[in-house]
Amino acid sequence: MGLSTRHLLGIKDLNEADLQLIFETADSFKDVINRPIKKVPSLRDVTIANIFFENSTRTRLSFELAERRLSADVVNFAASSSSVSKGETLIDTVNNILAMKVDMVVMRHPYAGAGVFLSKHINAQIVNAGDGAHEHPTQALLDAFSIREKYGDVAGKKVVIVGDILHSRVALSNILCLKQLGAEVMVCGPTTLIPKYIGSLGVKVEHNLIKALNWCDVANMLRIQLERQDIKYFPSLREYTMLYGLNKQILDSLDKEITIMHPGPINRGVEITSDVADSKQSIILDQVENGVAIRMAVLFLLAGQA
């Protein structure tokens, strides 16, 4: 039994059987990365190119580590120091890399749909590591996997995603993934940062942070994506923090203990304070560890399709 898709371009291409298969495979790989010898020969002789047209720390390192743990050969490519800055097109760039006999491409791109576009023009398998404000499938998978690890199951759990929903690829992928796994999802943030037709995705909308936090089991705190904002969506970061920033005082005043998540990078003191990020209710570093296991699972299962 394998995945129903040849590429991982977005959560919307996966069915529930795919999600469960990825999670079960990640369980095995999590055992692998916690033992003294962390390497398995599963992808020996497979060459993977990491092509990043946008800045990244965690995602790029996580993919690279996952690839090396699977014994794949890894090629890293950063657009800022490449011929892209000389005017080379996306297809030419990738075809030149593929001419060197690369089997799989992990790509992050500032434009939505870049992975889908590329999948129609090249033969290699593609993993979307984030395309603009569209999707970030492996982040949603590792978030859902972390909830499953904490609670035993995702179905029936109440998850609120707080912050800049409008510009967040993490929010969209998380909504699609959590809904498919049977969770209840709410988004919370200023009206200007909530997309107009978010209701069509079957999520609740709340503008009051305290109400949202009292409703949920898990709060996923997103950062404000200033690099994607072409106009001002709120008066100031200070005002945003006063209304939507999570601090220890708010956390301790809630009716029940909730779990705090964050996809990173954290802007400490804006959407979340240090004492919350480092508290025992936070599973932020577990998410980072699970990211390697999930990405190992995705790469392994896709390579099995080839």
Side-chain angles (χ1 to χ4, degrees):
M1 190 175 120
L3 293 179
S4 64
T5 173
R6 193 170 167 267
H7 309 283
L8 179 59
L9 301 172
I11 294 294
K12 60 180 174 292
D13 299 327
L14 301 176
N15 57 41
E16 197 180 342
D18 290 332
L19 296 177
Q20 296 302 347
L21 177 61
I22 291 169
F23 292 160
E24 285 159 20
T25 311
D27 285 331
S28 310
F29 283 132
K30 184 143 187 199
D31 294 339
V32 168
I33 60 177
N34 280 302
R35 58 187 203 195
I37 297 169
K38 298 174 171 59
K39 233 174 172 178
V40 284
S42 312
L43 294 191
R44 189 181 286 151
D45 299 329
V46 173
T47 306
I48 303 176
N50 297 320
I51 305 181
F52 279 70
F53 291 89
E54 260 190 344
N55 294 339
S56 171
T57 306
R58 263 163 316 282
T59 305
R60 193 171 57 77
L61 287 177
S62 183
F63 266 113
E64 191 175 337
L65 205 52
E67 291 150 10
R68 293 187 191 283
R69 295 271 188 262
L70 291 165
S71 307
D73 296 319
V74 182
V75 183
N76 285 316
F77 169 94
S80 54
S81 56
S82 74
S83 292
V84 171
S85 55
K86 300 174 187 173
E88 188 172 61
T89 66
L90 173 60
I91 291 180
D92 282 340
T93 300
V94 176
N95 274 330
N96 277 292
I97 292 168
L98 295 183
M100 301 173 203
K101 302 291 176 259
V102 168
D103 304 295
M104 202 181 288
V105 172
V106 174
M107 184 173 78
R108 168 168 289 187
H109 202 278
Y111 295 126
V116 177
F117 170 74
L118 203 58
S119 69
K120 292 174 180 168
H121 291 87
I122 66 167
N123 287 324
Q125 292 172 288
I126 297 166
V127 179
N128 177 8
D131 58 334
H134 179 227
E135 277 222 50
H136 191 350
T138 55
Q139 181 68 46
L141 290 167
L142 74 89
D143 288 347
F145 183 75
S146 301
I147 294 171
R148 171 179 172 270
E149 186 179 65
K150 170 91 181 174
Y151 291 101
D153 197 3
V154 179
K157 294 293 162 285
K158 295 178 174 178
V159 182
V160 66
I161 303 171
V162 182
D164 186 354
I165 312 297
L166 185 64
H167 301 94
S168 174
R169 52 187 169 216
V170 174
L172 178 59
S173 287
N174 258 290
I175 290 166
L176 296 173
C177 186
L178 293 167
K179 293 288 290 179
Q180 197 164 142
L181 292 166
E184 287 183 62
V185 184
M186 176 187 279
V187 294
C188 174
T191 310
T192 50
L193 291 177
I194 304 282
K196 203 171 178 181
Y197 301 108
I198 192 89
S200 65
L201 293 175
V203 302
K204 298 179 169 72
V205 179
E206 177 58 68
H207 299 295
N208 181 314
L209 180 66
I210 309 294
K211 281 186 190 170
L213 294 174
N214 273 318
W215 171 85
C216 75
D217 300 308
V218 179
N220 199 345
M221 309 298 294
L222 306 180
R223 74 185 173 88
I224 294 295
Q225 311 236 345
L226 292 172
E227 73 278 11
R228 292 190 208 286
Q229 296 185 7
D230 42 2
I231 59 171
K232 274 186 91 74
Y233 288 87
F234 47 85
S236 67
L237 273 180
R238 184 165 169 264
E239 184 163 326
Y240 176 85
T241 302
M242 283 167 66
L243 291 170
Y244 295 100
L246 178 56
N247 57 42
K248 200 74 170 77
Q249 194 181 344
I250 294 172
L251 201 57
D252 293 341
S253 72
L254 301 176
D255 304 339
K256 57 181 176 184
E257 196 167 284
I258 63 169
T259 300
I260 305 301
M261 299 174 72
H262 195 303
I266 303 174
N267 289 327
R268 289 176 183 252
V270 181
E271 71 272 7
I272 187 171
T273 56
S274 286
D275 47 6
V276 173
D278 304 329
S279 71
K280 66 181 195 307
Q281 285 165 257
S282 154
I283 58 168
I284 296 170
L285 291 177
D286 298 327
Q287 287 173 265
V288 178
E289 182 185 341
N290 289 337
V292 178
I294 279 287
R295 289 173 177 122
M296 285 174 79
V298 165
L299 295 165
F300 172 75
L301 291 167
L302 286 175
Q305 307 278 77

